[in-house]
Amino acid sequence: MLRGRSLSVTSLGGLPQWEVEELPVDDLLLFEVSWEVTNKVGGICTVIQTKAKITANEWGDNYFLIGPYFEHNMKTQVEQCEPTNDAVRRAVDTMNKHGCQVHFGRWLIEGSPYVVLFDIGYSAWNLDRWKGDFWEACSVGIPYDDREANDMLIFGSLTAWFLKEVTDHAAGKHVIAHFHEWQAGTGLILSRARKLPIATMFTTHATLLGRYLCAANIDFYNQLDKFNIDKEAGERQIYHRYCMERAAVHCAHAFTTVSEITAIEAEHMLKRKPDVITPNGLNVKKFSAVHEFQNLHAMNKARIQDFVRGHFYGHLDFDLEKTLFFFIAGRYEFSNKGADIFLESLSRLNFLLRMHKSDVTVVVFFIMPAKTNNFNVETLKGQAVRKQLWDTVHCMKEKFGKKLYNSLLRGEIPDMANILDRDDLTIMKRAIFSTQRQSLPPVTTHNMIEDSTDPILSTIRRIGLFNNRPDRVKVILHPEFLSSTSPLLPMDYEEFVRGCHLGVFPSYYEPWGYTPAECTVMGIPSVTTNLSGFGCFMQEHVADPTAYGIYIVDRRFRSPDDSCNQLTQFLYGFCKQSRRQRIIQRNRTERLSDLLDWRYLGRYYQHARHLTLSRAFPDKFHMQPTSPPTTEGFMYPRPSSVPPSPLGSQASSPQSSDVEDEDEDEDERYNEEEEAERDRLNIKSPLSLRQVPHGKKKLHGEYKN
């Protein structure tokens, strides 16, 4: 019987420890299968990319990723090479000799994992035969006109064929195959139907039917146990896809999902309770200088301020030093991503700021890709006006500097009447006239193809946030992903996030939520919900999430209006913070980054693989009867400094964001280094390995948000 060594996981940044069995990786081959290997479609690509480094470090040359071949991705992301593993080399050669096109190489990401890529189009001539094989395996038929499902069948058939060739030449090594989402599920189904000697693991990052139901504004979480699943899938013409997903879930030796909220959903939608929760992580990079992330915030904020100067030229009657930048980003799913409740909250926030005569201005960016045909002319003109004005000022500065220099050399105090002549005044007046505009600053940076029916623009018209002068909340829709090569806002997404003050993601349907997680590791506070995996994860791990810059909106047990009011209060409270309070909060937020590091969260996958092997090969792999690693009973403590949260010490009206609170008592109460060390000492309690109670009845939401 093969047993792994007992591995005591070292504490990471003060995080708790647990003991797991280390797998004998030299005697194993690990294949991870996903449609998003080298092919970014959504968040699964981020999961695989960021996890690849720690997995490659653990498994070495016995770790392989399987995905689809696309020529443009192959040229830019993959370095072709020959397989060093004999079983993999033979499998690739055999399939290529039998009319397939299989590519092998290293994916040029951190960890440089091996990738096996199948050319789907090259093997499409087998589609009819493989449809028959799939019908015999699980009695699921795939319509001719569903191209995506047909592509997934080809991909799955090639995967199962490849795994068979590998196991035929594995020379005593055991194979683990980890499949992500329904797109890869056909390979799992066919592998089990053909009784291949492999251990299979399936991870759902979001159920297929769950996405469709939430997008239709159905009372999802309140009706989870009441849905007629077959009927709902059939009405949406995805019944065959649903069957593929459900069959993969039930065929797998181990079933995992990314969050507790998705586990509840999967139990009702797919009729199987996940065996392990495997939260998504990130590769956290620490700076040698403790406050370097604060410097990056200041630097990138200045770049966003430059864009705002151009966008609001002629209406720049607000102080940019007292302006906060909020943003929401992600797929354009108006309700699922919470853009609806966010816009309504912005309308209420605008009312509060105006009523209290606040001098704080909020500029809100919506970074959500939509159909456009070009940049907005008025937006481009604004940036051109700003740059022209900047060049004019620089020319005048050079001229002014020379005159001042010559005067001082002569030992004279310069006469301002001589320093600025009539021509200079004329140039200045022309510059001022060039910044005048008759129209309001545009609410979108691009020309929208479906302007009249666009949900965000339609809501903006309804609530009246048109960037008027009296409005304290300004809105900018940027319907395109950010890029450093953009002529409008030349910033990468990471740079943009670092320059903002708050990320707002009040999602209704968010199985995990990488956007708030990315904010956290960059030290940027964020808003999430208790219906997102990230929000539930933080509620479980952090005693006072708000004090650490994680604002969690209750969208599960509150009515839509109550949730909207709660979000408004979070936003309003944030606007009332002083600059000092925001700096303190960013330090606390960044301190949570270790909690999201794959070096910590990767252990959940290690546990899931061990469980998979013990079920697939019970006579060769033994697993101690322990439950998955949990964090039950462990929490980041509430910060001990006063104020524990900026919300707890605010005046009844907003303060200027540039005000530094120099009160001596507060300086004595808060010492950032002492508080950080206190947190590190407080969180070293060991993780509990208690069994997660089964059969516990879950509460569903009382209202639809």
Side-chain angles (χ1 to χ4, degrees), residues 466-538:
F466 295 121
N467 296 336
N468 287 301
R469 287 183 185 273
D471 288 335
R472 297 273 51 85
V473 174
K474 318 286 186 181
V475 178
I476 301 174
L477 170 60
H478 188 281
E480 194 175 76
F481 284 131
L482 296 169
S483 169
S484 58
T485 60
S486 170
L488 202 60
L489 185 56
M491 300 180 74
D492 287 330
Y493 179 72
E494 180 179 338
E495 296 170 333
F496 176 79
V497 172
R498 288 192 182 277
C500 289
H501 296 91
L502 183 70
V504 185
F505 315 102
S507 304
Y508 181 72
Y509 185 78
E510 191 70 80
W512 175 246
Y514 257 121
T515 40
E518 288 166 338
C519 286
T520 302
V521 301
M522 289 187 240
I524 302 300
S526 62
V527 177
T528 183
T529 73
N530 59 353
L531 289 180
S532 75
F534 174 82
C536 294
F537 183 80
M538 284 300 171

Coordinates of all heavy atoms in Angstrom, one line a residue, residues 466-538:
F466 N -26.0 62.8 -15.0 CA -25.5 63.2 -16.3 C -24.2 64.0 -16.2 O -23.9 64.7 -17.1 CB -26.6 64.0 -17.0 CG -27.8 63.2 -17.4 CD1 -29.0 63.6 -16.9 CD2 -27.7 62.1 -18.2 CE1 -30.2 62.9 -17.3 CE2 -28.8 61.4 -18.5 CZ -30.1 61.8 -18.1
N467 N -23.5 63.9 -15.0 CA -22.3 64.7 -14.8 C -22.6 66.2 -14.8 O -21.8 67.0 -15.3 CB -21.2 64.3 -15.8 CG -20.8 62.9 -15.8 OD1 -20.9 62.3 -14.7 ND2 -20.3 62.3 -16.8
N468 N -23.7 66.6 -14.2 CA -24.0 68.0 -14.1 C -23.0 68.6 -13.0 O -22.5 67.9 -12.2 CB -25.4 68.2 -13.6 CG -26.4 67.9 -14.7 OD1 -26.4 68.6 -15.8 ND2 -27.3 67.0 -14.5
R469 N -22.9 69.9 -13.1 CA -22.0 70.6 -12.2 C -22.3 70.4 -10.7 O -21.5 70.1 -9.9 CB -21.9 72.1 -12.5 CG -21.2 72.5 -13.7 CD -21.1 74.0 -13.9 NE -20.5 74.4 -15.2 CZ -19.2 74.5 -15.4 NH1 -18.4 74.3 -14.4 NH2 -18.8 74.9 -16.6
P470 N -23.6 70.5 -10.3 CA -23.9 70.3 -8.9 C -23.8 68.9 -8.4 O -23.7 68.6 -7.2 CB -25.4 70.7 -8.8 CG -25.7 71.4 -10.1 CD -24.8 70.8 -11.1
D471 N -23.7 67.9 -9.3 CA -23.6 66.5 -8.9 C -22.3 66.2 -8.2 O -21.2 66.6 -8.7 CB -23.8 65.6 -10.1 CG -25.2 65.5 -10.6 OD1 -26.1 65.8 -9.8 OD2 -25.4 65.2 -11.8
R472 N -22.4 65.6 -7.1 CA -21.1 65.2 -6.4 C -20.7 63.8 -6.9 O -19.6 63.3 -6.5 CB -21.3 65.2 -4.9 CG -21.6 66.6 -4.4 CD -20.4 67.4 -4.0 NE -19.4 67.6 -5.1 CZ -19.4 68.5 -6.0 NH1 -20.5 69.3 -6.1 NH2 -18.5 68.5 -6.9
V473 N -21.5 63.1 -7.6 CA -21.1 61.8 -8.1 C -21.1 61.9 -9.7 O -22.1 62.3 -10.3 CB -22.1 60.7 -7.7 CG1 -21.8 59.3 -8.4 CG2 -22.1 60.5 -6.2
K474 N -20.0 61.6 -10.3 CA -19.8 61.6 -11.7 C -19.6 60.2 -12.2 O -19.0 59.3 -11.5 CB -18.6 62.4 -12.1 CG -18.4 63.7 -11.3 CD -19.4 64.8 -11.7 CE -19.0 66.1 -11.0 NZ -20.0 67.2 -11.4
V475 N -20.2 59.9 -13.4 CA -20.2 58.5 -13.9 C -19.5 58.5 -15.2 O -19.7 59.3 -16.1 CB -21.6 58.0 -14.0 CG1 -21.6 56.6 -14.6 CG2 -22.3 58.0 -12.7
I476 N -18.6 57.5 -15.4 CA -17.9 57.2 -16.7 C -18.0 55.7 -17.1 O -17.5 54.9 -16.3 CB -16.4 57.6 -16.7 CG1 -16.3 59.1 -16.3 CG2 -15.8 57.4 -18.0 CD1 -14.8 59.6 -16.1
L477 N -18.7 55.4 -18.1 CA -18.8 54.1 -18.6 C -17.7 53.9 -19.7 O -17.6 54.5 -20.7 CB -20.2 53.8 -19.3 CG -20.3 52.5 -20.1 CD1 -20.0 51.3 -19.2 CD2 -21.7 52.4 -20.7
H478 N -16.8 52.9 -19.4 CA -15.7 52.6 -20.3 C -15.9 51.2 -20.8 O -15.5 50.2 -20.2 CB -14.3 52.7 -19.6 CG -13.1 52.5 -20.5 ND1 -12.7 51.3 -21.0 CD2 -12.3 53.5 -21.0 CE1 -11.6 51.5 -21.7 NE2 -11.4 52.8 -21.8
P479 N -16.7 51.0 -21.9 CA -17.2 49.7 -22.4 C -16.1 48.9 -23.1 O -16.3 48.3 -24.2 CB -18.3 50.1 -23.3 CG -17.9 51.4 -23.9 CD -17.1 52.1 -22.8
E480 N -14.9 48.8 -22.6 CA -13.8 48.1 -23.2 C -12.8 47.8 -22.1 O -12.6 48.6 -21.1 CB -13.2 49.0 -24.2 CG -12.2 48.3 -25.2 CD -11.7 49.2 -26.3 OE1 -10.8 50.0 -26.0 OE2 -12.2 49.1 -27.4
F481 N -12.2 46.6 -22.2 CA -11.2 46.3 -21.2 C -10.0 47.3 -21.3 O -9.7 47.7 -22.4 CB -10.7 44.9 -21.3 CG -11.6 43.8 -20.8 CD1 -12.0 42.7 -21.6 CD2 -12.2 44.0 -19.5 CE1 -12.9 41.8 -21.1 CE2 -13.1 43.0 -19.0 CZ -13.4 41.9 -19.8
L482 N -9.4 47.6 -20.2 CA -8.3 48.5 -20.1 C -7.0 48.0 -20.8 O -6.7 46.8 -20.7 CB -8.0 48.9 -18.7 CG -9.1 49.7 -18.0 CD1 -8.8 49.8 -16.5 CD2 -9.3 51.0 -18.6
S483 N -6.2 48.9 -21.4 CA -5.0 48.5 -22.0 C -4.0 49.7 -22.0 O -4.4 50.8 -22.1 CB -5.3 48.1 -23.5 OG -4.0 48.0 -24.2
S484 N -2.8 49.3 -21.8 CA -1.7 50.4 -21.7 C -1.5 51.0 -23.1 O -0.8 52.0 -23.2 CB -0.4 49.8 -21.2 OG 0.0 48.7 -22.1
T485 N -2.0 50.4 -24.2 CA -1.9 51.0 -25.5 C -3.0 51.9 -25.9 O -3.1 52.4 -27.0 CB -1.7 49.9 -26.5 OG1 -2.8 49.0 -26.5 CG2 -0.4 49.1 -26.2
S486 N -4.0 52.0 -25.0 CA -5.2 52.8 -25.4 C -4.8 54.3 -25.5 O -4.1 54.8 -24.7 CB -6.3 52.7 -24.3 OG -7.3 53.6 -24.5
P487 N -5.3 55.0 -26.5 CA -5.1 56.4 -26.6 C -5.9 57.3 -25.7 O -5.6 58.5 -25.5 CB -5.5 56.7 -28.1 CG -6.6 55.7 -28.4 CD -6.2 54.5 -27.6
L488 N -6.8 56.6 -25.0 CA -7.7 57.4 -24.1 C -7.3 57.3 -22.6 O -7.0 58.3 -22.0 CB -9.1 56.8 -24.2 CG -10.3 57.7 -23.8 CD1 -10.3 59.0 -24.6 CD2 -11.6 56.9 -24.0
L489 N -7.2 56.0 -22.1 CA -6.8 55.8 -20.7 C -5.7 54.7 -20.8 O -6.0 53.5 -20.6 CB -8.0 55.3 -19.9 CG -7.8 55.1 -18.4 CD1 -7.3 56.4 -17.8 CD2 -9.1 54.7 -17.8
P490 N -4.5 55.1 -21.1 CA -3.4 54.2 -21.3 C -2.9 53.5 -20.0 O -1.8 53.9 -19.5 CB -2.3 55.0 -22.0 CG -2.5 56.4 -21.5 CD -4.0 56.5 -21.2
M491 N -3.7 52.6 -19.4 CA -3.3 52.0 -18.2 C -3.7 50.5 -18.3 O -4.8 50.2 -18.8 CB -4.0 52.6 -17.0 CG -3.7 54.1 -16.7 SD -4.5 54.7 -15.3 CE -3.6 54.0 -14.0
D492 N -2.9 49.6 -17.7 CA -3.3 48.2 -17.6 C -4.3 48.1 -16.4 O -4.3 49.0 -15.6 CB -2.1 47.3 -17.3 CG -1.2 47.1 -18.5 OD1 -1.8 47.2 -19.6 OD2 0.0 47.0 -18.4
Y493 N -5.0 47.0 -16.3 CA -6.0 46.9 -15.3 C -5.4 47.0 -13.9 O -5.9 47.6 -13.0 CB -6.7 45.5 -15.5 CG -7.8 45.3 -14.4 CD1 -9.0 46.0 -14.4 CD2 -7.6 44.3 -13.4 CE1 -9.9 45.7 -13.4 CE2 -8.5 44.1 -12.5 CZ -9.7 44.8 -12.5 OH -10.7 44.6 -11.5
E494 N -4.2 46.3 -13.7 CA -3.6 46.3 -12.4 C -3.2 47.8 -12.0 O -3.4 48.2 -10.8 CB -2.4 45.4 -12.4 CG -1.7 45.4 -11.0 CD -0.5 44.5 -11.0 OE1 -0.4 43.6 -11.8 OE2 0.4 44.7 -10.1
E495 N -2.7 48.5 -12.9 CA -2.3 49.9 -12.6 C -3.6 50.7 -12.3 O -3.5 51.6 -11.3 CB -1.6 50.5 -13.8 CG -0.3 49.9 -14.2 CD 0.3 50.3 -15.5 OE1 -0.5 50.7 -16.4 OE2 1.5 50.3 -15.7
F496 N -4.6 50.5 -13.0 CA -5.9 51.3 -12.8 C -6.4 50.9 -11.4 O -6.8 51.8 -10.6 CB -6.9 50.9 -13.9 CG -8.2 51.6 -13.7 CD1 -8.4 52.9 -14.0 CD2 -9.3 50.8 -13.1 CE1 -9.7 53.5 -13.8 CE2 -10.5 51.4 -12.9 CZ -10.7 52.8 -13.3
V497 N -6.5 49.7 -11.0 CA -7.0 49.3 -9.7 C -6.2 49.9 -8.6 O -6.7 50.4 -7.6 CB -7.0 47.7 -9.6 CG1 -7.3 47.3 -8.2 CG2 -8.0 47.1 -10.6
R498 N -4.9 49.9 -8.8 CA -4.0 50.5 -7.7 C -4.2 52.0 -7.6 O -4.0 52.5 -6.5 CB -2.5 50.2 -8.1 CG -2.1 48.8 -7.9 CD -0.6 48.6 -7.9 NE -0.1 47.3 -7.8 CZ 0.0 46.6 -6.6 NH1 -0.2 47.3 -5.5 NH2 0.4 45.4 -6.6
G499 N -4.7 52.6 -8.6 CA -4.9 54.1 -8.6 C -6.3 54.5 -8.0 O -6.5 55.6 -7.7
C500 N -7.2 53.5 -7.9 CA -8.5 53.8 -7.4 C -8.5 53.7 -5.9 O -7.6 53.2 -5.2 CB -9.5 52.8 -8.0 SG -9.9 53.1 -9.8
H501 N -9.6 54.2 -5.3 CA -9.8 54.2 -3.9 C -10.7 53.0 -3.4 O -10.5 52.5 -2.3 CB -10.4 55.5 -3.4 CG -9.6 56.7 -3.6 ND1 -9.7 57.5 -4.7 CD2 -8.6 57.3 -2.8 CE1 -8.8 58.5 -4.7 NE2 -8.2 58.4 -3.5
L502 N -11.6 52.6 -4.2 CA -12.6 51.6 -3.8 C -13.1 50.8 -5.0 O -13.5 51.4 -6.0 CB -13.7 52.2 -3.0 CG -14.8 51.3 -2.5 CD1 -14.2 50.5 -1.3 CD2 -16.0 52.1 -2.0
G503 N -13.1 49.5 -4.9 CA -13.7 48.6 -5.9 C -15.1 48.2 -5.4 O -15.2 47.8 -4.2
V504 N -16.1 48.3 -6.2 CA -17.5 48.0 -5.8 C -18.0 46.9 -6.7 O -18.2 47.0 -7.9 CB -18.4 49.2 -5.9 CG1 -19.8 48.9 -5.3 CG2 -17.7 50.4 -5.2
F505 N -18.3 45.7 -6.0 CA -18.7 44.5 -6.7 C -19.9 43.9 -6.0 O -19.8 42.8 -5.4 CB -17.6 43.5 -6.9 CG -16.3 44.1 -7.3 CD1 -15.3 44.4 -6.4 CD2 -16.1 44.5 -8.6 CE1 -14.1 45.0 -6.7 CE2 -14.9 45.1 -9.0 CZ -13.9 45.4 -8.1
P506 N -21.1 44.5 -6.0 CA -22.3 44.0 -5.3 C -23.0 43.0 -6.0 O -24.2 43.1 -6.3 CB -23.1 45.3 -5.1 CG -22.8 46.1 -6.3 CD -21.4 45.8 -6.7
S507 N -22.3 41.9 -6.4 CA -22.9 40.8 -7.3 C -24.0 40.1 -6.6 O -24.0 39.8 -5.4 CB -21.8 39.9 -7.7 OG -20.7 40.5 -8.2
Y508 N -25.0 39.7 -7.5 CA -26.0 38.8 -7.0 C -25.6 37.3 -7.3 O -25.9 36.4 -6.5 CB -27.3 39.1 -7.8 CG -28.4 38.2 -7.3 CD1 -29.0 38.3 -6.1 CD2 -28.9 37.1 -8.1 CE1 -30.0 37.5 -5.6 CE2 -29.9 36.3 -7.7 CZ -30.5 36.5 -6.5 OH -31.5 35.6 -6.0
Y509 N -24.9 37.1 -8.4 CA -24.4 35.8 -8.7 C -22.9 35.8 -9.0 O -22.5 36.4 -10.0 CB -25.1 35.2 -9.9 CG -24.8 33.8 -10.2 CD1 -25.3 32.7 -9.4 CD2 -23.8 33.4 -11.2 CE1 -25.0 31.4 -9.7 CE2 -23.5 32.1 -11.4 CZ -24.1 31.1 -10.7 OH -23.7 29.8 -10.9
E510 N -22.1 35.3 -8.0 CA -20.6 35.4 -8.1 C -20.1 34.2 -7.4 O -19.8 34.3 -6.2 CB -20.1 36.7 -7.5 CG -18.7 37.0 -7.8 CD -18.4 37.3 -9.3 OE1 -18.7 38.5 -9.7 OE2 -18.0 36.4 -10.0
P511 N -19.9 33.1 -8.0 CA -19.4 31.9 -7.3 C -18.1 32.1 -6.5 O -18.0 31.5 -5.5 CB -19.2 30.9 -8.5 CG -20.2 31.3 -9.5 CD -20.2 32.8 -9.5
W512 N -17.2 32.9 -7.1 CA -16.0 33.2 -6.3 C -15.9 34.8 -6.2 O -16.3 35.4 -5.3 CB -14.7 32.6 -6.8 CG -13.5 33.1 -6.1 CD1 -12.5 33.8 -6.5 CD2 -13.2 32.9 -4.7 NE1 -11.6 34.1 -5.5 CE2 -12.0 33.5 -4.4 CE3 -13.9 32.2 -3.6 CZ2 -11.4 33.5 -3.1 CZ3 -13.3 32.2 -2.4 CH2 -12.1 32.8 -2.1
G513 N -15.3 35.4 -7.3 CA -15.1 36.8 -7.3 C -13.7 37.2 -7.2 O -13.2 37.6 -6.2
Y514 N -13.0 37.1 -8.4 CA -11.6 37.5 -8.4 C -11.4 39.0 -8.3 O -10.3 39.4 -7.9 CB -11.0 37.0 -9.7 CG -10.1 35.7 -9.5 CD1 -10.4 34.6 -10.2 CD2 -9.1 35.7 -8.6 CE1 -9.6 33.4 -10.0 CE2 -8.3 34.6 -8.4 CZ -8.6 33.4 -9.1 OH -7.8 32.3 -8.9
T515 N -12.4 39.8 -8.8 CA -12.1 41.3 -8.8 C -11.9 41.8 -7.4 O -10.9 42.6 -7.1 CB -13.3 42.0 -9.5 OG1 -14.5 41.4 -9.2 CG2 -13.1 41.9 -11.0
P516 N -12.8 41.5 -6.4 CA -12.5 42.0 -5.0 C -11.2 41.3 -4.4 O -10.5 42.0 -3.7 CB -13.7 41.6 -4.2 CG -14.4 40.5 -5.0 CD -14.1 40.8 -6.4
A517 N -10.9 40.1 -4.8 CA -9.7 39.4 -4.3 C -8.5 40.2 -4.8 O -7.5 40.4 -4.1 CB -9.7 38.0 -4.8
E518 N -8.5 40.5 -6.1 CA -7.3 41.3 -6.7 C -7.2 42.6 -6.0 O -6.1 43.1 -5.8 CB -7.6 41.5 -8.2 CG -7.4 40.2 -9.0 CD -7.9 40.3 -10.4 OE1 -8.8 41.1 -10.7 OE2 -7.5 39.5 -11.2
C519 N -8.3 43.3 -5.7 CA -8.2 44.5 -4.9 C -7.5 44.3 -3.6 O -6.7 45.1 -3.2 CB -9.6 45.1 -4.7 SG -10.4 45.8 -6.2
T520 N -7.9 43.2 -2.9 CA -7.4 43.0 -1.6 C -5.9 42.8 -1.6 O -5.1 43.4 -0.8 CB -8.0 41.7 -1.0 OG1 -9.4 41.9 -0.9 CG2 -7.5 41.4 0.4
V521 N -5.3 42.0 -2.5 CA -3.9 41.8 -2.6 C -3.1 43.0 -3.0 O -1.9 43.1 -2.7 CB -3.5 40.6 -3.5 CG1 -4.2 39.3 -3.0 CG2 -3.9 40.9 -4.9
M522 N -3.8 44.0 -3.6 CA -3.2 45.3 -4.0 C -3.4 46.3 -2.9 O -3.0 47.5 -3.1 CB -3.7 45.8 -5.3 CG -3.3 44.9 -6.5 SD -3.8 45.7 -8.1 CE -4.8 44.4 -8.8
G523 N -4.1 46.0 -1.8 CA -4.3 46.9 -0.8 C -5.4 48.0 -1.0 O -5.4 49.0 -0.5
I524 N -6.3 47.6 -1.9 CA -7.4 48.5 -2.2 C -8.7 48.0 -1.6 O -9.1 46.8 -1.9 CB -7.6 48.6 -3.8 CG1 -6.3 49.1 -4.4 CG2 -8.8 49.6 -4.1 CD1 -5.8 50.5 -3.9
P525 N -9.4 48.7 -0.7 CA -10.7 48.3 -0.2 C -11.7 48.0 -1.2 O -11.6 48.5 -2.4 CB -11.1 49.5 0.7 CG -9.9 50.2 1.0 CD -9.0 50.1 -0.2
S526 N -12.6 47.1 -0.9 CA -13.6 46.7 -1.9 C -15.0 46.4 -1.2 O -15.0 46.1 0.0 CB -13.2 45.5 -2.7 OG -13.0 44.4 -1.9
V527 N -16.0 46.4 -2.1 CA -17.4 46.1 -1.6 C -17.7 44.7 -2.3 O -17.5 44.6 -3.5 CB -18.4 47.1 -2.0 CG1 -19.8 46.7 -1.6 CG2 -18.1 48.5 -1.3
T528 N -18.2 43.8 -1.5 CA -18.6 42.5 -2.1 C -20.0 42.2 -1.4 O -20.5 43.0 -0.8 CB -17.6 41.4 -1.9 OG1 -18.0 40.2 -2.5 CG2 -17.3 41.2 -0.4
T529 N -20.5 40.9 -1.6 CA -21.7 40.6 -1.0 C -21.6 39.2 -0.4 O -20.7 38.5 -0.6 CB -22.9 40.5 -2.1 OG1 -22.7 39.4 -2.9 CG2 -22.9 41.8 -2.9
N530 N -22.6 38.9 0.4 CA -22.7 37.5 1.0 C -23.2 36.5 0.1 O -23.5 35.4 0.5 CB -23.4 37.6 2.4 CG -24.9 38.0 2.2 OD1 -25.3 38.4 1.1 ND2 -25.7 37.9 3.2
L531 N -23.4 36.8 -1.2 CA -23.8 35.9 -2.2 C -22.6 35.6 -3.1 O -22.8 34.9 -4.1 CB -25.0 36.4 -3.0 CG -26.3 36.4 -2.3 CD1 -27.4 36.9 -3.2 CD2 -26.7 35.0 -1.8
S532 N -21.5 36.1 -2.8 CA -20.3 35.8 -3.6 C -19.4 34.9 -2.8 O -19.4 35.0 -1.5 CB -19.5 37.1 -4.0 OG -18.8 37.6 -2.8
G533 N -18.6 34.1 -3.4 CA -17.8 33.2 -2.7 C -16.7 33.9 -1.9 O -16.4 33.5 -0.8
F534 N -16.2 35.0 -2.5 CA -15.2 35.8 -1.8 C -15.7 36.4 -0.5 O -15.1 36.4 0.5 CB -14.6 36.9 -2.7 CG -13.7 37.8 -2.1 CD1 -12.4 37.5 -1.9 CD2 -14.2 39.1 -1.6 CE1 -11.5 38.4 -1.3 CE2 -13.3 40.0 -1.0 CZ -12.0 39.7 -0.8
G535 N -17.0 37.0 -0.6 CA -17.6 37.6 0.5 C -17.8 36.6 1.7 O -17.5 36.9 2.8
C536 N -18.3 35.4 1.3 CA -18.5 34.3 2.3 C -17.2 33.9 2.9 O -17.1 33.7 4.2 CB -19.2 33.1 1.7 SG -20.9 33.5 1.1
F537 N -16.2 33.8 2.1 CA -14.8 33.4 2.6 C -14.3 34.4 3.6 O -13.8 34.0 4.6 CB -13.9 33.3 1.4 CG -12.5 32.8 1.7 CD1 -12.2 31.5 1.9 CD2 -11.5 33.7 1.8 CE1 -10.9 31.1 2.1 CE2 -10.2 33.3 2.1 CZ -9.9 32.0 2.2
M538 N -14.5 35.7 3.3 CA -14.0 36.7 4.2 C -14.8 36.8 5.5 O -14.3 37.0 6.6 CB -14.0 38.1 3.5 CG -12.9 38.3 2.5 SD -11.3 38.1 3.3 CE -10.1 38.1 2.0

